[in-house]
Structures are given as C-alpha cells and as structure tokens.
Amino acid sequence: FCVMAACAFASVSGQTMAGLEAVLRHKESAVESIKVSLEAGAMGIANGTVESTTCNAQSSCTAALNRPVCEPIFGNTQGCNCNGRAIDVSENVIKSSPKLEVSEHSLKRTACLAKHLQPELTRMYSTMVQTGDVKWLYFGSHDGVVVTYPGFVWADPGAANKCDEDYDSRLRSWQMIAATGPKNLVLVLDISGSMTTLDRMGGMKRAAKKVIDSATHVDYIGIITFNDKASTYQDLTTLARASPEFRTRLKAFIDSLVPSGASNFIAGYEAAFSLVDSSRAKNYTTGCHTTYVLVTDGIAADPKGTVMLRQANTRYIGGGQEQHFVISLGSGTAPTDLRSMACAIGAVFTMVPDNDDVALQGAMIGYYKYYALRRSLSKVEGHSWTAPYASMPDIWGPMVSVTAPVYDKSREPWHMMGVASADATACALLETTPEPPTTSNTVLTTVRGCTCLNTSTYNGAKFVGCSDIDWSVPWCETPIGCGVCGTPNVGTGCWDECMPTGKDAALEAELVRRTNFEACTQTEVPACAMEALRMLIDDGHTCDALAGSKDSVSCSVTEMEKYRWSIEGPTAEQSKSAVGFTLQSTEGRVANTIYDGTIGLCPCNSTMLPACACTARKNSPPPSPPPSPPPVVPLEPQGGENRDIVIYMGVSAALVVVAVGVVIIMELRRRRRKLQWSPSSVKGLAMEQTGGAQQVATRHPNMVPGRERHANTPRQLPSSYY
C-alpha cells in the first residue's frame, strides 16, 4: 500500500531525510518507554509483583493539583500572572467521563498502571519534556479513560460542561489510529421521514460527526445516505482520504441532511458496495479492511440477499476484508428482524434507545473494539503518526502525535489495554523537514504522472490550477485517458490529485510512511471471537441460537471467556485485589486562581520550547476585545403607551431631584473638610499615600500605582475637591 502523497516523495533521498528520521525515531522512543513500562506493570499485577491494592490517583477534573508549579515551557496563562502554566511534574492525572460508565474496577486498574508508570514519566520529564523534544505524554485506555503527564487541570468539576463529560479518548485520532490501523470506513445513514421522531436525526448527526472526527489521515471514508433512494456525498464515485479539511466538509454535509421518504436498505447497501468497488478499481482505498456502519430506525425489505451475494464472491471472503455493523435506533423499530439480518451477514448488531447520544456514539465506534481484537489476536506492534491537529489545551499550535498499542501479555490471547502517545509540535518537525526537490517546470503535474489542464471544468464551473473542491486534497482536470476517468461532471471525464509540494507535504508523506500498515495482513477473526464481541456489544445477545447465522457455531464457555478477555481484559475477580480506591478531586472553580489556563493578553514566553511555537500561536485569532455597552435607544411613544410615558417622565424627574440632593450633600462635606484640614496636613497625607502606593506596587507588579492606599488612612481626594 502506498498513499499517493507518500509515493510522490519517495524520490527524496534517504540522506536528506536522515535528520528528520532521527528526530522521529527519538520521539518514537518516548512512546516505546511508556508502552514497555505499562506492559511490565500489567504483567506484574498479574503475577503479584506489582502492588495493586491502594492505587489512589489524582483527577484532572479538579480545582487544585497536589504540587503545582508555574512552568514557562508550557506557555503563559493568566493564572500564573503570564509567567507559565500550572502543572504538576510529580504525578500524572486521570480523566474519566461519567457518561462512559467505566467500572470502578477498570478505573482502578488504570490508576494502578499509571502509578507504576510514574517513575518512567518523571525520568522523561528531564530528558525529553524540558528539552522540548516532546510535550504531553499520555495513555488512553480501552474504555476511554486517559492518563496525562505532566498533571494539569482539565477543568474544574463545576464548569459549565462538567469537565467535558462527553470526552472519550477512543474518539481522538491519536488513539484510533493505533488501535484500528488504516481502514476504509463507510457510513450508511437512514434519512427517512421517521428519523424526525424523538430527535433521532439530531442524535445520529451528532454521533456521525464524532465518528468522522475520529477518522485518521490514513483512513479512507465515504458516506451513503438513503431513504427511498441512495446517494453519496456530492455524488462522489469513490472513497476519499480522511484529511482534516475533508472531514470538516463531511460534517457540514451531515448537518445539512433533511429527513424525508421511506427506508430502502437494499438501495443503501448497493450504493455502498458500488462506492467501494469503484474505489478499489481506481486505487482510492487503504488496501486494508473495509467497515460498513448502517444506522436506521426503519423497517424495510431485508437486504441480506444483497449482502450475502456479495460475500459469496471470493474477492471479499479472504482475510475478512469486509465487516458490517448494524445499529437499530430508538423504539418502534424491528430489532428482532434487524438482529436476524445482522447475524445472517455476520454483522455486529446494537440496539440504541432514543435520546441516548453516548450509547449511539459508542455503538457507532463498535468497530474500535473489533479492530483492537483483530490486532490483539494478530499481535500487531509498531508506531503510528497522526496528522497535525489542535491539542487540548491548545498551547503550541498544531500538534502531531506518535502512538503505539499497549497490550496485557500476561496470557493468551493478548488484550489491548489501550494506546500510548506522545505529542510533538508540528512547527518543530517542519523546521527539521528538508525542502523537497524543486523543478523549473511551471506545468502542474499529478501523482499519476498526468499534466493538469490550464483550466478545469467541474459541474459547469471553471477553476485555474488545483482545487480541493468536494475532495480531500487539491486536484485538477487531466487529458482524456490519463488519471481517474469516467467522471461525467468533469470536462474531459478525467482528473487526478495534484502533485503535493512544499515541506508540509514532505512531512505528511514521511508520517504516513512510518505509520504501521501491518493490520492489512491479519487473518480473519475466528467465529467464536466474533460471538464474544457480539455478547459484549449487544447486551448479551449472540448469533449462536439464530438459524441461518453466518457465524452459527457452538462456542464453549472456555472459548467465549478466552476471547472476552482479549476484548475487555481481566475482571475484578481475576485481578485478585480490592476494588476500593480514591480518584482525588478538589471541588471549586479555577477562575482567578493559579489554575486559570486562559491565555488572554499574555505574551508568548520566549523561553517556551520550541521557539517556533510562538509564531504558531500568533497565527491564531487575537483575544476578543471586551464587549461594548449596548447603545441607548430613545423611547418612541406609540399608540396606547401614554400611561407608560407619564410614568417614565415621573421617574426621570425623581432621579433628577435625587442627583441634585447628592451634589448639595457632597459640597457641604467638601467645605467641612476644608475647614478641618490645613494645607500642610493635606500635603503630608498626599506624600504618605504616594509612598505607600509605590511600596505596594513594588511588591505587586500587577497593581496600578495610585490605586492602592494604606488601610488606616483616608482615601486621597482629587485636587479639584480642594
């Protein structure tokens, strides 16, 4: 497999890339250290050499850390008076979102692993973090819990969004890319009229957008929408690489969907299969596994004949190249029929109740557990790299993460505990990336060796050069017979992706090249492993009892437990340790404390590493100015409002009388002071107050001289009062 951008830069010599490769290997070593430590911890917990009874941990959803320091290399914040960010270098922190419903046992096990990992993190702080080689170091568990180092306050528990309670690390690209590897992802979404019921359409949209966000730059993605008929996004005939820009367009497309008509499952599947077949023919796939996710609330003609006919074709049988997930959304559907259909085609079925966004989101990423199981059974190792993305919190501009799967290898088969990761700044990697070879030829060329036409025609409109309209990367129209042909809405019918240029493209190509594609060679998941997966995802249901099931096998209790272990890991009983533990958290708000992470008007710290991070941050929008007071709009009387006008005028007159009274009282007080104070005493008081202001200002640089006074002296009045 060769992603087009990676192939395009294959000619860059190894010698010119040696510096970049050394930097990337160094960062990969950080992830390898985290992985080795965690896997040793899991082995130690299993054999009793690692203590796992009192594994208390510090929550990142807190209003205070145990040992906070203001660290300038993590940027400037208002909480640290623009001189660093509050972090805790002595321990890591754990974030667990309550909506994920993580068991106390699993959360405690992650805390025990984090405790075992801490000495290695402390070592790397001085050797890699303080030198600017890596930023955040973290681990995302198989059930969405994230461990982060150095410790920082994510958000206080009383924040408006309840410390980002919907956060699930499995939906972040850094965890998804290591757990699933490269894949083709096809969402088959029901947009029939019944989806208006109980906001099912809104829930599906929200879940679909999170799934799109979780796609990685080595994935290919396509969207099929269906009611009576089926269509693709912008009538595309192939999958497209899930670049950040393309994912943004897909999410906007999801937002624009309007439900209508009836459901036609067969049309949806036929469109999906046509899209994938065309993609394979035109080389717009990963060359790896394809996953279909059907989401519906409807009742329609059974599509299993269409799917099973495809599965009978030997092209799609070997190596388990295609896997289906079927999600029945809301009450009023026919879950029994849909589950029977799913079992007939070897799919994994999930029933999701109405108005449960978290359950729907979890069902739609059921393929995460499927791919993690495949990798565990195949013992896939290696590193993966993400495309640049916005980190949380966003400190250094776009970030790139290197990741690796982490396994519990204490028994067979392995269990993927989660993913280890380390952050690096994109700007620093770009500084290390050599300029790709240049040419004096001004003619635009493509990745397939075609020449771009001077003007491209698409859907009747014209553009010059390359454009990324409706596609994941820039493309152009090409001469007849060159590139991807048979596209009727392009002038000649042929087009191709433009040859990527510049350091950004060269870095992207190297990151893709280093990402592990070993998942493409995995063998098919055993039938009993699929049954164990169904049992966990479909609330205890399996396909074993259903006639006509594709995976109709009799699985022993021992086999089911073996594969359950590979998916979920040890149970509380298998861990042989007490369940009770504490996830420490301090109640309160972080506003106006050292933990206030607002950048505000803080200048970028020149000591922050790498130096290019300041430039990267300057590219972000400047702080918004304070809101202006609303304009005063004069009242204009209208018919029937005379009584209101009289009341308004009466109130205004009363306010004028009060104001005059205040002025008279202040004048009397001024004259009284003038009689009691002598000029010398006033002068002495003024000198004393000025000195006091200077003294306070020396101790508190943020205070403005002239606004402070001694506690036991009267406020100095302006000279106009004397």
Side-chain angles (χ1 to χ4, degrees):
F1 168 72
C2 183
V3 169
M4 295 300 180
C7 296
F9 284 100
S11 59
V12 178
S13 69
Q15 186 176 7
T16 59
M17 295 293 289
L20 175 61
E21 290 177 351
V23 168
L24 296 178
R25 280 196 302 271
H26 184 52
K27 300 180 191 306
E28 288 169 353
S29 70
V31 169
E32 195 63 26
S33 296
I34 297 173
K35 171 183 169 68
V36 169
S37 179
L38 288 170
E39 291 179 347
M43 188 70 73
I45 291 175
N47 60 31
T49 59
V50 171
E51 195 273 337
S52 61
T53 56
T54 56
C55 299
N56 294 332
Q58 183 174 199
S59 172
S60 61
C61 293
T62 181
L65 298 171
N66 289 335
R67 298 177 183 84
V69 293
C70 286
E71 177 54 75
I73 65 173
F74 279 79
N76 285 340
T77 63
Q78 292 183 169
C80 286
N81 290 326
C82 294
N83 188 28
R85 178 182 298 269
I87 61 172
D88 188 342
V89 300
S90 67
E91 57 184 328
N92 53 65
V93 293
I94 293 179
K95 170 152 177 52
S96 177
S97 302
K99 288 188 176 182
L100 298 180
E101 298 181 345
V102 178
S103 69
E104 185 178 11
H105 155 70
S106 182
L107 186 57
K108 182 202 173 188
R109 180 176 173 81
T110 300
C112 292
L113 291 170
K115 179 180 177 181
H116 178 78
L117 175 64
Q118 185 54 52
E120 182 60 24
L121 295 176
T122 301
R123 182 192 68 80
M124 284 194 287
Y125 185 79
S126 59
T127 59
M128 299 194 77
V129 177
Q130 284 188 311
T131 59
D133 292 322
V134 295
K135 298 302 180 185
W136 302 113
L137 303 167
Y138 43 100
F139 165 72
S141 75
H142 71 95
D143 44 12
V145 178
V146 63
V147 179
T148 308
Y149 179 81
F152 77 103
V153 172
W154 188 293
D156 59 71
N161 67 348
K162 299 179 183 178
C163 194
D164 203 359
E165 63 179 351
D166 292 331
Y167 181 86
D168 185 341
S169 63
R170 295 168 298 182
L171 285 167
R172 299 293 286 177
S173 62
W174 58 267
Q175 184 158 345
M176 186 64 76
I177 195 171
T180 67
K183 58 190 174 296
N184 306 313
L185 178 61
V186 185
L187 301 183
V188 187
L189 307 178
D190 187 344
I191 58 169
S192 62
S194 61
M195 290 292 287
T196 59
T197 305
L198 297 174
D199 193 35
R200 291 172 187 167
M201 192 70 175
M204 186 182 72
K205 286 182 177 182
R206 291 186 290 273
K209 288 189 292 184
K210 288 198 173 184
V211 170
I212 291 169
D213 270 334
S214 73
T216 74
H217 66 141
V218 294
D219 294 337
Y220 275 74
I221 189 170
I223 295 179
I224 304 293
T225 57
F226 71 93
N227 42 31
D228 305 276
K229 300 181 294 184
S231 61
T232 65
Y233 164 72
Q234 299 294 13
D235 295 325
L236 293 182
T237 59
T238 67
L239 303 171
R241 192 160 67 90
S243 67
E245 297 80 9
F246 190 63
R247 296 200 301 266
T248 299
R249 295 193 188 97
L250 290 181
K251 289 188 293 181
F253 169 71
I254 292 293
D255 280 332
S256 71
L257 296 176
V258 177
S260 65
S263 299
N264 187 336
F265 298 158
I266 294 175
Y269 274 118
E270 286 178 344
F273 297 153
S274 176
L275 184 72
V276 171
D277 289 346
S278 176
S279 301
R280 286 189 175 128
K282 298 173 182 177
N283 196 27
Y284 281 113
T285 73
T286 61
C288 297
H289 198 275
T290 299
T291 293
Y292 302 90
V293 181
L294 170 70
V295 184
T296 180
D297 77 331
I299 301 173
D302 193 337
K304 65 183 179 185
T306 301
V307 180
M308 293 172 70
L309 180 63
R310 178 181 182 80
Q311 291 173 335
N313 189 322
T314 55
R315 289 185 299 165
Y316 309 112
I317 295 177
Q321 292 182 9
E322 296 190 343
Q323 180 61 44
H324 294 267
F325 290 80
V326 176
I327 299 171
S328 177
L329 180 58
S331 58
T333 59
T336 302
D337 293 341
L338 285 172
R339 181 178 288 113
S340 177
M341 181 272 289
C343 286
I345 64 174
V348 176
F349 175 80
T350 313
M351 174 72 186
V352 177
D354 284 311
N355 300 313
D356 193 339
D357 280 12
V358 175
L360 178 56
Q361 171 183 303
M364 290 187 71
I365 63 163
Y367 58 81
Y368 176 98
K369 290 186 177 181
Y370 169 75
Y371 281 107
L373 174 61
R374 285 177 64 95
R375 292 198 143 198
S376 296
L377 297 177
S378 300
K379 299 183 177 180
V380 175
E381 302 275 21
H383 303 102
S384 299
W385 286 85
T386 70
Y389 67 97
S391 180
M392 295 191 301
D394 187 4
I395 300 173
W396 303 279
M399 303 293 290
V400 173
S401 297
V402 54
T403 67
V406 180
Y407 298 100
D408 185 337
K409 303 175 181 177
S410 62
R411 57 181 282 188
E412 293 287 341
W414 289 359
H415 158 60
M416 187 185 290
M417 298 189 296
V419 170
S421 186
D423 280 349
T425 57
C427 69
L429 293 180
L430 285 171
E431 286 186 340
T432 313
T433 304
E435 288 285 356
T438 58
T439 175
S440 58
N441 188 0
T442 58
V443 177
L444 294 175
T445 57
T446 71
V447 296
R448 288 178 169 85
C450 306
T451 300
C452 291
L453 299 184
N454 292 332
T455 302
S456 298
T457 303
Y458 176 63
N459 285 335
K462 297 182 181 297
F463 63 85
V464 177
C466 299
S467 171
D468 63 355
I469 181 173
D470 292 343
W471 193 242
S472 56
V473 295
W475 62 276
C476 66
E477 184 179 347
T478 55
I480 296 176
C482 192
V484 180
C485 297
T487 309
N489 49 358
V490 175
T492 61
C494 298
W495 63 279
D496 195 10
E497 295 178 355
C498 295
M499 179 71 76
T501 59
K503 296 177 70 170
D504 291 272
L507 175 60
E508 166 76 1
E510 180 60 18
L511 296 181
V512 169
R513 187 187 71 81
R514 300 181 77 85
T515 293
N516 182 16
F517 286 87
E518 189 176 340
C520 300
T521 61
Q522 295 175 36
T523 57
E524 189 170 3
V525 176
C528 287
M530 290 301 301
E531 285 288 78
L533 183 65
R534 292 187 185 100
M535 183 180 67
L536 293 170
I537 291 180
D538 190 18
D539 197 24
H541 291 90
T542 66
C543 291
D544 185 33
L546 294 177
S549 298
K550 181 174 182 290
D551 295 327
S552 182
V553 292
S554 180
C555 301
S556 67
V557 174
T558 302
E559 281 185 298
M560 292 293 281
E561 168 54 26
K562 177 177 71 173
Y563 292 121
R564 186 217 60 79
W565 148 271
S566 187
I567 301 166
E568 293 285 285
T571 62
E573 293 75 18
Q574 290 170 337
S575 293
K576 300 177 182 178
S577 63
V579 175
F581 85 111
T582 301
L583 186 60
Q584 301 169 353
S585 177
T586 302
E587 295 293 329
R589 305 306 304 271
V590 301
N592 302 317
T593 71
I594 188 177
Y595 305 104
D596 188 341
T598 306
I599 294 176
L601 298 177
C602 291
C604 188
N605 195 314
S606 59
T607 63
M608 185 169 69
L609 297 175
C612 60
C614 283
T615 303
R617 210 194 83 180
K618 287 177 182 177
N619 292 334
S620 60
S624 301
S628 302
V632 178
V633 180
L635 295 177
E636 297 183 3
Q638 299 178 4
E641 297 182 350
N642 291 336
R643 181 175 178 274
D644 294 337
I645 297 171
V646 171
I647 294 175
Y648 173 76
M649 294 178 63
V651 172
S652 300
L655 291 174
V656 171
V657 171
V658 172
V660 171
V662 171
V663 171
I664 293 173
I665 292 172
M666 293 178 68
E667 176 63 17
L668 292 174
R669 293 181 63 187
R670 183 189 69 80
R671 294 186 180 186
R672 182 179 179 184
R673 289 193 187 98
K674 187 172 182 181
L675 292 173
Q676 292 178 346
W677 294 354
S678 65
S680 59
S681 66
V682 173
K683 182 177 180 181
L685 177 60
M687 291 176 63
E688 182 181 1
Q689 287 178 308
T690 303
Q694 291 173 344
Q695 185 178 4
V696 173
T698 301
R699 293 196 302 270
H700 303 281
N702 289 341
M703 291 186 177
V704 180
R707 294 187 182 176
E708 299 76 28
R709 58 189 174 90
H710 292 290
N712 298 322
T713 48
R715 177 175 60 89
Q716 182 181 1
L717 299 175
S719 58
S720 60
Y721 272 65
Y722 293 96

